[in-house]
Amino acid sequence: MNLSPDEDFARQLDAEDPLRHFRERFHIPLTKDGQPYIYLVGNSLGLMPKTTRAFVDQELDDWAALAVDAHLEGSTPWYSYHETVREPAARLVGAGPHEVVCMNSLTVNLHLLMATFYRPAKSRFKILMEEPAFPSDTYAVKSQIVHHGFAAKEGVVLARAREGEFAARTEDIEATLEKQGDEIALVLLAGVNFFTGQFFDIARVTAAAHKHGCIVGIDLAHAVGNVPLSLHDWDVDFAAWCSYKYLNSGPGAVAGAFVHERHAMNRELPRLAGWWGNDPATRFQMQLLPEFVPVPSADSWAISNPPIFSMAPLRSSFAIFDEAGGMEALRAKSVKLTGYLEFLLDQIGSGAFTVITPRDPQARGCQLSILAHEHPKELFAKLEAAGVKCDFREPNVIRAAPTPLYNTFHEVWRFAQLLAQHH
Ligand SMILES: *Cc1c(COP(=O)(O)O)cnc(C)c1O
C-alpha cells in the first residue's frame, strides 16, 4: 500500500477500517479540555469496556440476593465460573481448552509453574532470559534459583542484542543454547519484550531449547491480545500472562496460565497443590479423601477458588475479542496501524530519536519504542500536556502502543504531528 503523510489519508484509513466501531465499546479518559486522550498505553493498562460494569454488578447482585447459594445457583454459578473464560482464553493463546486456566496474577503463576518446571540439578540449574527482562520476572527467576540452593548470579544467562542493535537475534539465542544448553534447565522468555517491543520467534527458540533438553516457559504479558499465538503447536511447555494490559480486564485482573497437554495430563508431575486443582468430582470429599487427585488439565495448577469480581471483567473483554474476529482480524489492523506509525516517524526523519523496535512486522507487536536522544523527559511531558497518554521507561525510551481495538489511524497521525513539533 502507498502510504501518505496527509491528514486526509489518515481519515481515509479510518473510514476503511472494518474494526473502527469497536472504539465505541470503551471508556476513553478525557483531558482537562474534555477531549479524549490519545491513549497509547494499552500495553500498561487497557481501557475499560463499557460492558464490564454490568458483568461485575451481576456478581455483586448475586452475592446480595443469593449469598452462598450463588456458588451453584447464581446467574453464572461461581463454582464453575472459571469455565466461562477457559475457551476464549485458549483461543487467544492458541491452545486447547484443557491447556489453559485463568487464575491468580502473572508473577504468582510464573512461580507456580516454575515449582513444577524448574527442577534444577547441579549440572543443569541455569535459566536463560532476555535482556532487559521485566523486573518482576528477574526477581522471580533469581528467587527460584536461590530457593533451590544455587547462586542467582551464576544461574541467570542473558540473551542480549549485539552491540549497536536493540533486539536479540534468534540465531544468537540458538548459539547460546548450542554452547550452554546442557547447563540450562529453563528458558524463560517474553513473547513480546516490554521494553523494545520485540516479538520473539517462539517456535524456533522452543525447538532449539528442546533439542538441548531445556524446558521452555513464555511470559505473554505483552503478547496476549497483541499478537497471534500458537502455544500448543509451537510446543511451548508452559506460559503465563496478565489480563490488564491488552486484555482490557482491569487493574489486577485474574491472569492466565498455559500448560502443554503432554504435561497437563501428567498426574505424576510435582506441583504445589490446593483444593481447586483437585478433580472436581472428589473436591468436596474433604476429610474423607485427603489424597490430592490432580484434575488432568491445566486446572490442576490452580490452588484456590477464584476471585469472582476480578474474573468478571474477563468475560466482557473476551466477548469483544471474539466479536472482533479474534487475533487474526485484530492483527491485520494492528500491522497496518503500527506500520503507519513507523512510516510517519520515518517521515519526520529526525536524528532526535531512534525507534528501537524491530522494523520487521513479524518481529514486533503493536508497540513502537522510541529512544529519544535529547531531553527525553521533557519530550514526554510535552506529549502528555498535548493530550497523549504514552509511557516513559528510564533512561530515555517512550513507548507508544496503538491498539487495534480502540485506537484510530487519525490518532496515530496526530501523535506523529506532536512528536514532530516537540522533539
Ligand atoms: C506487566 C508484567 C508483569 C506484571 O506482573 P504482575 O504479577 O501482574 O504484577 C510481569 N512480567 C512482565 C513481563 C510484564 O510485562
Side-chain angles (χ1 to χ4, degrees):
M1 185 175 25
N2 280 330
L3 299 172
S4 152
D6 298 341
E7 183 171 12
D8 284 350
F9 184 72
R11 298 262 189 222
Q12 183 194 329
L13 289 175
D14 281 325
E16 291 166 357
D17 168 16
L19 298 178
R20 65 187 178 280
H21 296 301
F22 282 91
R23 178 176 170 82
E24 293 150 26
R25 303 292 194 84
F26 294 87
H27 290 290
I28 300 173
L30 302 178
T31 65
K32 283 201 295 291
D33 307 329
Q35 296 304 310
Y37 269 106
I38 299 174
Y39 194 82
L40 302 178
V41 278
N43 56 349
S44 185
L45 186 78
L47 291 179
M48 175 179 166
K50 291 177 181 168
T51 40
T52 294
R53 189 182 302 276
F55 279 86
V56 178
D57 278 349
Q58 180 67 63
E59 302 317 318
L60 289 167
D61 290 346
D62 281 7
W63 182 26
L66 302 169
V68 72
D69 289 339
H71 281 301
L72 296 175
E73 290 158 28
S75 48
T76 308
W78 296 338
Y79 185 67
S80 52
Y81 200 87
H82 58 291
E83 295 294 348
T84 65
V85 288
R86 182 194 303 287
E87 295 201 6
R91 283 194 280 280
L92 287 170
V93 298
H98 56 297
E99 294 177 306
V100 164
V101 56
C102 294
M103 60 180 190
N104 311 312
S105 43
L106 169 54
T107 313
V108 171
N109 287 345
L110 288 176
H111 274 300
L112 293 180
L113 292 163
M114 280 193 275
T116 296
F117 294 107
Y118 176 57
R119 312 288 300 171
K122 265 212 173 67
S123 59
R124 191 196 272 272
F125 65 90
K126 296 184 179 173
I127 299 182
L128 174 67
M129 308 178 77
E130 87 271 23
E131 185 184 68
F134 195 88
S136 197
D137 299 46
T138 302
Y139 305 153
V141 156
K142 287 186 172 170
S143 67
Q144 282 281 338
I145 294 169
V146 170
H147 176 71
H148 285 280
F150 299 96
K153 84 175 179 312
E154 285 159 32
V156 178
V157 179
L158 292 172
R160 290 196 173 93
R162 292 184 187 181
E163 187 72 34
E165 298 184 5
F166 299 98
R169 297 190 191 191
T170 310
E171 65 259 35
D172 289 354
I173 300 175
E174 287 171 330
T176 301
L177 286 164
E178 196 63 47
K179 220 166 89 199
Q180 298 183 68
D182 57 359
E183 299 168 4
I184 294 172
L186 171 66
V187 174
L188 188 73
L189 270 196
V192 171
N193 181 267
F194 80 102
F195 189 70
T196 63
Q198 176 183 10
F199 178 17
F200 287 93
D201 188 336
I202 299 172
R204 230 174 101 185
V205 172
T206 302
H210 284 170
K211 200 173 112 198
H212 296 283
C214 321
I215 291 272
V216 177
I218 307 289
D219 183 327
L220 299 173
H222 282 260
V224 68
N226 178 18
V227 291
L229 299 165
S230 303
L231 296 183
H232 177 87
D233 290 346
W234 292 342
D235 211 27
V236 166
D237 294 285
F238 71 88
W241 58 92
C242 53
S243 307
Y244 47 82
K245 292 173 180 167
Y246 296 107
L247 293 187
N248 307 319
S249 298
V254 171
F258 162 88
V259 179
H260 197 281
E261 119 189 299
R262 69 178 171 283
H263 305 304
M265 310 296 270
N266 181 357
R267 289 184 152 160
E268 305 306 316
L269 286 176
R271 76 198 81 202
L272 298 178
W275 70 327
W276 231 251
N278 197 82
D279 191 335
T282 56
R283 184 177 291 150
F284 282 100
Q285 308 275 322
M286 302 267 184
Q287 71 282 10
L288 305 177
L289 282 179
E291 283 312 314
F292 178 68
V293 182
V295 52
S297 77
D299 281 33
S300 54
W301 277 265
I303 292 183
S304 297
N305 77 102
I308 299 298
F309 306 140
S310 312
M311 196 174 258
L314 269 62
R315 299 181 64 209
S316 80
S317 176
F318 287 165
I320 295 174
F321 275 88
D322 281 336
E323 223 184 297
M327 280 318 299
E328 203 181 319
L330 287 163
R331 175 68 164 167
K333 173 174 174 185
S334 179
V335 166
K336 271 192 200 166
L337 193 61
T338 297
Y340 179 56
L341 174 58
E342 181 179 53
F343 163 78
L344 294 172
L345 296 178
D346 286 348
Q347 292 281 309
I348 299 172
S350 163
F353 56 78
T354 304
V355 175
I356 63 170
T357 306
R359 289 192 75 89
D360 174 5
Q362 296 308 311
R364 69 185 183 206
C366 70
Q367 170 185 326
L368 292 186
S369 302
I370 303 164
L371 188 155
H373 298 293
E374 289 158 31
H375 315 299
K377 279 193 176 145
E378 286 84 341
L379 174 58
F380 175 69
K382 284 179 187 163
L383 290 169
E384 172 106 10
V388 177
K389 285 271 170 226
C390 47
D391 82 359
F392 185 74
R393 283 288 170 268
E394 294 287 353
N396 52 7
V397 168
I398 291 170
R399 302 186 304 172
T403 69
L405 271 176
Y406 48 75
N407 288 119
T408 67
F409 290 89
H410 192 251
E411 285 182 302
V412 162
W413 182 85
R414 283 164 55 216
F415 172 69
Q417 286 283 305
L418 290 166
L419 206 59
Q421 260 169 47
H422 292 298
H423 72 266

